[in-house]
Amino acid sequence: MLAALISGTLAAPSLSLQIGTVPTPAALEVKARDLSLVCPGALFKAGGAQGTTLGNFEHVGLVSYASQFNSTNGATLNSGDGVFTVSAAEPAKENGVPNQGSELLNASQHQNAAGATLRGLAATNCQLPSNDIFLLGGATTTGREALLILRNTAQVDSTVSLEIFSEAGSVDAPGLNGIAVVSGKSTVVPLSGMVPKTKSFGVRVKATGGAVTAWIQQRTVRGLSAGGVDYVSPSPEAAKQQVIPGVFIRGTAQVSKLRAASADFEDLLPVLRVYVPGSSNATVTVQVVGATPATFGTVVRSTVNAGSVSDIEITGLKDGNYVALVSSDVPVQSAFRLSRVTATSAPDFTWIPAAQKFTGKRKLTVPNIGISKFCIYNEKTGVIEVIEVTPGSTYSFSGSEQPIYANLITDVDGTVANLSVLDQKNAGGKVSVNVR
């Protein structure tokens, strides 16, 4: 009898008991938030406008914006101080603004700084606020200043924590947590206080409360002379294959002369920066491909330790247009430092993040200054296109079954900057909910 009871007890989990009926899941439409893109505003100068006040950072110079808005279902655009927000018309507000992305709104900013110690072309896409951002680029060695810019346009305050990775791995330093970013304000964090005299690093920004936007403003000064300025913009998610179009090499002869004259010009060399986010070391192969048969590229292979950042120098390239193809046996993130040197102007540089792969329609409005060229790489055919576009125009990618990668490079009188081809949108759609 006891054996029978035990046997029955052990068999109990296979029985099914149901009281009443299981409710049918309810399908709910979740409204996407109105699309809002945020730019950092004019460049910051440490010490205030005069450079004499310790711990003070002020906007200096004039910034210009390039944007296009295509109204959908009566939607309107509100813009000011580098913030572009699309509002849905009534009664469409119930479902938000449909078809978000670059066809609805794309925006960027650019500034050609001409100060004694802040000189160069700095440009960046306006960002969709986020709670998790990764920035790959910058340095804090002698004469190199890296300022982390955090902007909060949400209705609530935000608290930010940072994870910083260098050549030695994860960085443990004071001030990484509890960074307050007040609603409607920007906070500037000098990274030299956390990673002093560091050649290579990447920064992960995590925000609680209001979502934020983030950039690294990178500046170079050699002696008393400005050596360029740019923004390090967010990198896409880690992947085993990444593509960086727009490696437009210029002034190689001038770079050789400057490097021979002083070691302080070593960072004019092209560099691929790689971060390995996982727990396994990465074997990284960089194939730099020329856009024409006359521009021979190169192939470089390197091992990068897990959890660390490494700079891979790309040597031997002649003047020409190239695309960097990055492959790894584990997912990585990558960015390319491109310098611009002429015989008549001070050096400048730009940090180009890996490009997003896409097949659908996208739009990007071109800065209204200088010479701008798209570099487009077709993943299936390997064809590289370089297309010069009219300043101030909006370029439309019509969409294709073959995935492509694209970046925009802008040159202004010996200065250089880049913009990514993005399709930023807030998520929305249908979800199933069981009510019990």
Side-chain angles (χ1 to χ4, degrees):
M1 182 66 178
L2 179 60
L5 288 173
I6 293 175
S7 175
T9 303
L10 293 175
S14 66
L15 299 176
S16 176
L17 179 63
Q18 177 177 313
I19 300 175
T21 58
V22 177
T24 302
L28 300 179
E29 189 77 27
V30 178
K31 171 193 169 184
R33 290 182 298 174
D34 289 342
L35 181 62
S36 183
L37 302 181
V38 181
C39 270
L43 291 164
F44 282 95
K45 185 174 182 180
Q50 303 302 318
T52 58
T53 307
L54 186 65
N56 186 34
F57 302 92
E58 291 185 11
H59 289 291
V60 292
L62 298 176
V63 65
S64 299
Y65 299 99
S67 65
Q68 186 194 51
F69 168 62
N70 298 292
S71 181
T72 303
N73 295 338
T76 58
L77 177 69
N78 300 307
S79 62
D81 194 26
V83 181
F84 300 80
T85 303
V86 178
S87 297
E90 298 291 353
K93 275 190 173 293
E94 291 184 4
N95 298 317
V97 179
N99 303 321
Q100 291 191 13
S102 59
E103 288 193 281
L104 176 66
L105 173 67
N106 66 88
S108 65
Q109 73 166 58
H110 58 274
Q111 181 176 350
N112 199 3
T117 58
L118 185 63
R119 179 185 296 270
L121 181 64
T124 184
N125 301 80
C126 299
Q127 293 180 26
L128 188 71
S130 174
N131 295 101
D132 192 350
I133 300 168
F134 193 80
L135 304 166
L136 187 60
T140 59
T141 50
T142 302
R144 278 67 179 167
E145 178 190 65
L147 303 177
L148 176 63
I149 301 170
L150 304 169
R151 188 170 186 185
N152 180 9
T153 56
Q155 298 297 314
V156 296
D157 296 345
S158 181
T159 301
V160 168
S161 61
L162 306 179
E163 295 177 0
I164 303 181
F165 306 90
S166 70
E167 290 176 311
S170 180
V171 173
D172 185 13
L176 292 175
N177 300 306
I179 301 170
V181 188
V182 177
S183 172
K185 301 291 183 181
S186 294
T187 296
V188 180
V189 181
L191 292 176
S192 59
M194 302 172 182
V195 278
K197 299 181 180 180
T198 303
K199 178 183 176 182
S200 310
F201 56 80
V203 180
R204 168 154 275 118
V205 177
K206 293 187 175 181
T208 57
V212 301
T213 48
W215 302 261
I216 296 173
Q217 179 186 302
Q218 181 65 37
R219 177 174 69 114
T220 295
V221 178
R222 297 182 177 92
L224 299 176
S225 301
V229 65
D230 192 34
Y231 293 106
V232 177
S233 297
S235 292
E237 293 183 0
K240 291 184 178 181
Q241 306 289 331
Q242 297 202 321
V243 178
I244 307 177
V247 180
F248 293 171
I249 303 295
R250 308 285 187 270
T252 52
Q254 189 68 16
V255 169
S256 296
K257 292 179 182 179
L258 292 172
R259 290 179 61 216
S262 171
D264 204 18
F265 290 99
E266 283 297 316
D267 58 359
L268 294 180
L269 277 176
V271 159
L272 179 80
R273 180 166 295 182
V274 175
Y275 166 60
V276 184
S279 57
S280 300
N281 296 347
T283 300
V284 179
T285 301
V286 188
Q287 183 180 7
V288 183
V289 183
T292 68
T295 49
F296 295 100
T298 188
V299 178
V300 181
R301 177 170 290 183
S302 180
T303 299
V304 184
N305 292 333
S308 72
V309 173
S310 181
D311 284 354
I312 303 172
E313 291 187 350
I314 310 297
T315 59
L317 295 179
K318 296 181 179 181
D319 288 1
N321 301 328
Y322 302 87
V323 171
L325 307 177
V326 182
S327 61
S328 171
D329 55 349
V330 298
V332 299
Q333 291 175 287
S334 61
F336 201 100
R337 187 186 67 214
L338 176 70
S339 297
R340 184 67 78 244
V341 181
T342 69
T344 58
S345 64
D348 194 22
F349 64 88
T350 187
W351 278 99
I352 310 174
Q356 291 184 357
K357 179 169 68 174
F358 65 96
T359 56
K361 296 179 179 180
R362 294 193 178 192
K363 290 186 176 184
L364 181 65
T365 302
V366 179
N368 60 1
I369 57 172
I371 299 172
S372 293
K373 296 179 180 180
F374 278 103
C375 185
I376 306 168
Y377 176 77
N378 186 304
E379 183 181 59
K380 184 175 181 179
T381 65
V383 171
I384 299 171
E385 288 185 272
V386 177
I387 302 172
E388 184 171 343
V389 285
T390 304
S393 64
T394 298
Y395 187 84
S396 297
F397 292 85
S398 58
S400 168
E401 292 183 357
Q402 299 177 352
I404 62 172
Y405 302 80
N407 283 324
L408 180 75
I409 307 297
T410 298
D411 287 86
V412 181
D413 298 329
T415 62
V416 65
N418 79 91
L419 293 174
S420 300
V421 179
L422 306 176
D423 197 47
Q424 302 179 95
K425 60 184 70 176
N426 289 307
K430 293 182 178 180
V431 296
S432 294
V433 179
N434 277 321
V435 180
R436 295 181 181 271

